Amino acid sequence: MASEKQPAIILGIDPGTCVTGYGIIRVESSVLRALDYGCIRPPAHLKLSDRYLIIFESIEELLEKYQPSALVVESQYMSNNANVRNVKSTLKLGMACGISILAAKRKKIPVFEYAPAKAKRAVVGNGAASKHQVRGMVQQLLQLPEPPHPEDASDALSLAICHAHACSSNHIEI
Amino acid sequence: MASEKQPAIILGIDPGTCVTGYGIIRVESSVLRALDYGCIRPPAHLKLSDRYLIIFESIEELLEKYQPSALVVESQYMSNNANVRNVKSTLKLGMACGISILAAKRKKIPVFEYAPAKAKRAVVGNGAASKHQVRGMVQQLLQLPEPPHPEDASDALSLAICHAHACSSNHIEI
């Protein structure tokens, strides 16, 4: 994927019911470049099920447009994760994550996951780095004119970068 | 939906990564009849993402075959729910639930949810009923020759029955 010869396109997704961040990078000869990033924000007044459909269809559009070779999500399996506050929000997060994975699998795109600390370590070199530090390093690694905004998009880009770095042995397809 | 004149078909889903129960009932003139029930068991050796794809495609097949007017899932938002043991299993449950909801929404079928106690109350008359009691009453209400097996299918049928009973005011589309 991150070989010296064959360029690869990686889609990172930071799923959420309110905001789903995405970041698409191109890897060629060890050079990383951001193709696109941003977030999917289904209107908050919609029913949860309608919001899931919007997230799913938006990810399908990204897959169609950029034809990535991998989709990468965060493994949020740590009970002390700040995003996992209670059973209700954990279930909702799981739902958003599940439909992101499904969008890729329906197109036969492999799915990978990394723990938040691993993604931070890949980008900043420190698994306990702050969001601010991550944004700064994502900007630097991708040579962006400014730190990626919003935070969810920065997190998604950091997952894609993590996968680009992890191509040797330690990536896990889920 | 459960009016005296128009028959309705309801699909209950009890989602899970290992076993997803389903139950389809037909409601006509207040008479309930089971059209089909059982469970989806993706091979345990498969990656999670492949198992989600199998669950999704199996539910799509059920929707195609029976053309239900509603899909019903359990709202598992109680922290003391026995199925929600930890963050990891909660996330997985959310993923399986999310893709079940998505399968329906992609076909414009409305999705409803009920708390476990509500489904038990609708079937047995007691929100704290045992699984055994639920199976017995599901068998009786649907006039089945024996209690529905496995438990996941019985739970899915009880959700469909709950929705049939709740058609007046207290169903919630999610």
Side-chain angles (χ1 to χ4, degrees), chain A residues 52 90-99, chain B residues 15 17 52 88-101:
Chain A
Y52 293 141
T90 307
L91 275 166
K92 285 185 186 174
L93 181 63
M95 291 189 203
C97 192
I99 62 173
Chain B
T17 308
Y52 292 141
K88 188 169 179 171
S89 63
T90 307
L91 275 166
K92 285 186 186 173
L93 181 62
M95 291 189 202
C97 193
I99 62 173
S100 307
I101 291 172

Side-chain angles (χ1 to χ4, degrees), chain A residues 47-50 52-53 56 60 76-79 84 87-88 90-95 97-99 101-102 105-106 111 173-174, chain B residues 47-50 52-53 56 60 76-79 84 87-88 90-95 97-99 101-102 105-106 111 173-174:
Chain A
K47 290 190 296 282
L48 263 182
S49 55
D50 287 321
Y52 293 141
L53 185 61
F56 180 80
E60 276 197 323
Q76 308 231 22
Y77 294 164
M78 310 301 287
S79 59
V84 180
V87 173
K88 188 169 179 170
T90 307
L91 275 166
K92 285 185 186 174
L93 181 63
M95 291 189 203
C97 192
I99 62 173
I101 291 171
L102 186 72
K105 292 304 292 187
R106 286 188 77 234
V111 178
E173 190 180 347
I174 61 172
Chain B
K47 291 191 295 282
L48 263 182
S49 55
D50 287 321
Y52 292 141
L53 186 61
F56 179 80
E60 275 197 322
Q76 308 228 24
Y77 293 165
M78 308 302 287
S79 59
V84 180
V87 173
K88 188 169 179 171
T90 307
L91 275 166
K92 285 186 186 173
L93 181 62
M95 291 189 202
C97 193
I99 62 173
I101 291 172
L102 186 73
K105 291 304 292 187
R106 288 188 77 233
V111 178
E173 191 179 349
I174 60 171

Side-chain angles (χ1 to χ4, degrees), chain A residues 3 44 54 69 85 88 95 106-107 141 157:
Chain A
S3 85
I54 288 172
S69 54
R85 286 185 300 276
K88 188 169 179 170
M95 291 189 203
R106 286 188 77 234
K107 292 185 187 293
L141 289 167
L157 284 168

Side-chain angles (χ1 to χ4, degrees), chain A residues 1-3 10 27 112 114 161-171:
Chain A
M1 170 271 317
S3 85
I10 304 168
V27 188
F112 300 83
Y114 298 95
I161 294 169
C162 177
H163 184 61
H165 288 175
C167 63
S168 56
S169 65
N170 50 0
H171 54 276

Side-chain angles (χ1 to χ4, degrees), chain A residues 101-144:
Chain A
I101 291 171
L102 186 72
K105 292 304 292 187
R106 286 188 77 234
K107 292 185 187 293
K108 302 190 191 309
I109 296 168
V111 178
F112 300 83
E113 64 166 7
Y114 298 95
K118 195 170 192 100
K120 287 179 179 178
R121 207 175 302 122
V123 173
V124 184
N126 170 10
S130 70
K131 294 269 185 190
H132 180 74
Q133 287 173 303
V134 171
R135 287 181 73 196
M137 277 306 290
V138 167
Q139 177 191 6
Q140 200 172 312
L141 289 167
L142 299 175
Q143 302 177 50
L144 299 172

Side-chain angles (χ1 to χ4, degrees), chain A residues 4 15 22 25 35 67 149:
Chain A
E4 291 300 296
Y22 64 87
I25 66 168
L35 296 184
Q67 305 277 330
H149 180 81

